[in-house]
Structure formats: C-alpha cells, structure tokens
Amino acid sequence: MNKPALKETLSQIQRQRGALAKVRAEAEDLEDYLAVLEARARDTGERLPMAAVHRRVAGARRSGAVAVK
C-alpha cells in the first residue's frame, strides 16, 4: 500500500475508535440510569426512624461490629 492510503486508513480507524468510545460512554450512562430507575421501582417507600438507625449504629459500636475507617 502507498502512504496516502495508509494515512487514510489510519484516520478512518481513529475516527471509528472515537465513535466507539463515545458509544461506550453513552451505554455506561444508560446502564447507570437504568440501575437508578430499577432501584426506584423496587423502593417500597418505607423509611426507618432515625432513632432506630442510631440504636443500630450504637449497638454495633458497642459490640465492635463497625469497621474503623
């Protein structure tokens, strides 16, 4: 092959790689969006009172079950 043809082929490959990277990024964004939608659909709307949360955390600390960050 001659050099102009090689340059054209390389430029086509670079354009295709750029397009593929863009499609992959959009697909990842869509996957994240769908995961959020699925989580919202599964959400029962039930909320725990903060006192119950604090009791759980305090009890776990006393027993040593909470990992130190």
Side-chain angles (χ1 to χ4, degrees), residues 13-35:
I13 290 171
Q14 289 173 336
R15 286 193 303 268
Q16 290 171 352
R17 283 185 177 171
L20 181 59
K22 184 178 176 183
V23 168
R24 283 183 178 159
E26 289 174 358
E28 287 177 6
D29 289 345
L30 280 175
E31 286 178 20
D32 292 344
Y33 178 71
L34 290 175

Side-chain angles (χ1 to χ4, degrees):
M1 290 179 80
N2 56 19
K3 277 195 172 191
L6 285 175
K7 286 183 180 181
E8 178 62 28
T9 302
L10 287 175
S11 67
Q12 285 177 347
I13 290 171
Q14 289 173 336
R15 286 193 303 268
Q16 290 171 352
R17 283 185 177 171
L20 181 59
K22 184 178 176 183
V23 168
R24 283 183 178 159
E26 289 174 358
E28 287 177 6
D29 289 345
L30 280 175
E31 286 178 20
D32 292 344
Y33 178 71
L34 290 175
V36 169
L37 287 180
E38 289 173 4
R40 287 183 184 170
R42 282 190 227 108
D43 186 11
T44 62
E46 180 182 343
R47 301 291 180 247
L48 296 173
M50 284 308 292
V53 173
H54 287 284
R55 272 192 303 260
R56 288 180 189 171
V57 171
R61 283 188 187 147
R62 278 188 235 125
S63 68
V66 174
V68 178
K69 291 184 180 181

